[in-house]
Amino acid sequence: MKNKLSYVLSCLILGATLSGCVKDEMPNIEVDITGVSSQADDILNVSININAEIIDIYAAPGTDLADMRLTYTLSEGAKITPDPAEVTDYTAPRQFTVISEDSKWHKTYTVTVRFSNLPTTYGFDNWKQPERARYKIPYETRDGYGTPAELNIWACGNDAYSFLTNKNDDFTAFPTQPTTESYAGAAAAKLVTRLTGQIDRPIAAGNLFIGVFDSSMREPKESTQFGLPFMSRPERFKGKFKYRSGGLTLASRQPDHCKIQAVLYRTDNGVEHLNGFTIKNSPAIVARAELDEAAAVDTPGESFASFDIPFVYTADIDPTLLLAGGYNLAVIFSSSRDGDVYDGAPESTLVVDEVEITLYD
């Protein structure tokens, strides 16, 4: 009887202990905006950069930016201020502060709503340094909000390089950087393949693309989310470049080549972005313009060479869907053609400038 009583008491104590553990669970400290939605059909695309605390929303033409009602999805238990239900005027960038469940942590996000279409010329003259980063990233400009608005359409893998190498140097240490060695204007984009010191990921190719780099993804090829809404039918992909190969690639022992390409693809509920796994052969792709491997080699002398590549269409365009923002355009540059599988030659260098997407009438 005594042993039986002890067993019952032990179970009761254990149950009380477990119950206490559940009650004392630590509150969530995350302070992220993980999604933005609208009941109206006025949002074409949302780009969330959690690290930089920037949210870019691309709205359908004709949307009344002075009367938008947006809903924000937050980390579990987090709160947001001001109340989004009371903020309807997005004619200028708005700021929202997300406070963690334990009220000890916060982030302030800048939310900018702008109309698509994307610009079609890219001079890479304007660069900025993201908050808490040492590297620089280009941005485009367009008149809006009374002053030229920043269009944060470009992304790169500098965050991944910093994570792999623990680099925290000035911007010239990173694979993607500005250079005054331009064809025209104040600057150009310079992409350099760097060694990382990692056995399984020995190189980080310099890359630059229209889209979003989501550093929260564990697999880097999933982090490169290529493309943003584009509501025109592209005809040709043009620009200036110069390239110096670093020699043989580390893994395949083949001469390194650069990558210069543009891709138009259809989006839907299942395909919001193409990534490093899907950009090569997704059935959503309708057109591609890519510099031939034979031309993606060392350019002669120190001057720039030109590229002028037609878009090759493999599917028809739905004109109604096109005007509704149902297609994304991705423009992609890399200093090593196979950098997405960590194969490249250290110090391969690509400089690009004065890029243009021409359109069918």
Side-chain angles (χ1 to χ4, degrees):
M1 173 67 77
K2 183 177 181 181
N3 289 340
K4 192 172 185 179
L5 180 60
S6 298
Y7 174 78
V8 172
L9 288 173
S10 297
C11 289
L12 290 172
I13 292 170
L14 178 60
T17 302
L18 291 174
S19 175
C21 288
V22 171
K23 290 181 180 178
D24 295 337
E25 183 178 351
M26 295 295 290
N28 192 8
I29 64 172
E30 294 179 351
V31 285
D32 295 327
I33 294 177
T34 59
V36 184
S37 60
S38 171
Q39 291 184 342
D41 294 329
D42 49 14
I43 292 181
L44 299 179
N45 187 276
V46 178
S47 296
I48 301 176
N49 189 326
I50 291 175
N51 292 331
E53 298 164 19
I54 291 173
I55 298 177
D56 289 312
I57 299 172
Y58 294 85
T63 299
D64 185 0
L65 301 189
D67 187 24
M68 292 191 74
R69 287 166 174 76
L70 302 180
T71 300
Y72 296 87
T73 304
L74 310 176
S75 301
E76 183 179 354
K79 302 175 287 292
I80 188 169
T81 182
D83 183 355
E86 298 177 359
V87 178
T88 59
D89 187 352
Y90 286 89
T91 55
R94 305 302 298 258
Q95 290 191 324
F96 294 89
T97 299
V98 179
I99 304 168
S100 63
E101 187 177 19
D102 65 0
S103 299
K104 295 181 180 179
W105 305 90
H106 73 275
K107 277 185 181 179
T108 299
Y109 289 81
T110 299
V111 179
T112 303
V113 182
R114 55 176 57 92
F115 294 120
S116 277
N117 221 349
L118 291 173
T120 56
T121 58
Y122 318 110
F124 305 114
D125 291 328
N126 302 303
W127 293 72
K128 67 179 181 180
Q129 185 170 308
E131 189 175 353
R132 297 194 301 274
R134 297 298 296 272
Y135 63 83
K136 294 184 178 182
I137 193 77
Y139 65 91
E140 304 300 325
T141 60
R142 176 182 290 163
D143 289 341
Y145 314 123
T147 58
E150 288 186 9
L151 299 180
N152 299 303
I153 65 173
W154 293 104
C156 68
N158 280 348
D159 273 337
Y161 175 75
S162 182
F163 174 78
L164 290 172
T165 63
N166 199 30
K167 285 281 187 182
N168 194 27
D169 299 323
D170 67 86
F171 70 89
T172 62
F174 288 88
T176 301
Q177 56 183 271
T179 177
T180 56
E181 187 183 351
S182 61
Y183 177 83
K190 181 179 180 180
L191 315 178
V192 185
T193 299
R194 302 290 198 196
L195 288 169
T196 66
Q198 302 289 319
I199 296 176
D200 57 338
R201 299 172 183 177
I203 62 100
N207 65 359
L208 186 65
F209 58 92
I210 289 178
V212 178
F213 187 86
D214 185 355
S215 58
S216 68
M217 307 295 286
R218 294 192 177 187
E219 168 53 58
K221 289 181 74 171
E222 293 180 348
S223 298
T224 49
Q225 298 182 3
F226 298 115
L228 290 172
F230 195 67
M231 293 177 288
S232 301
R233 189 166 179 255
E235 181 180 16
R236 305 190 73 86
F237 180 36
K238 301 180 179 182
K240 305 295 183 181
F241 81 106
K242 55 182 172 179
Y243 185 63
R244 288 290 175 269
S245 171
L248 298 181
T249 58
L250 294 183
S252 61
R253 306 307 295 169
Q254 297 296 315
D256 205 3
H257 298 75
C258 63
K259 177 184 290 184
I260 295 176
Q261 69 171 335
V263 177
L264 184 72
Y265 64 91
R266 183 169 176 165
T267 61
D268 55 32
N269 291 335
V271 180
E272 294 184 3
H273 292 278
L274 295 185
N275 59 34
F277 289 109
T278 56
I279 193 66
K280 293 181 180 179
N281 53 18
S282 170
I285 295 172
V286 297
R288 186 191 300 271
E290 184 167 10
L291 186 67
D292 184 81
E293 186 170 332
V297 294
D298 285 2
T299 49
E302 292 300 318
S303 60
F304 282 81
S306 299
F307 62 89
D308 184 352
I309 315 164
F311 277 84
V312 177
Y313 282 79
T314 55
D316 292 333
I317 294 288
D318 181 333
T320 302
L321 189 63
L322 183 68
L323 292 176
Y327 292 86
N328 277 5
L329 176 71
V331 173
I332 304 167
F333 304 103
S334 177
S335 55
S336 290
R337 193 178 191 87
D338 294 321
D340 59 335
V341 292
Y342 313 109
D343 192 18
E347 300 307 311
S348 287
T349 304
L350 171 66
V351 179
V352 291
D353 201 9
E354 299 303 300
V355 175
E356 180 183 9
I357 302 289
T358 63
L359 309 176
Y360 283 101
D361 293 335

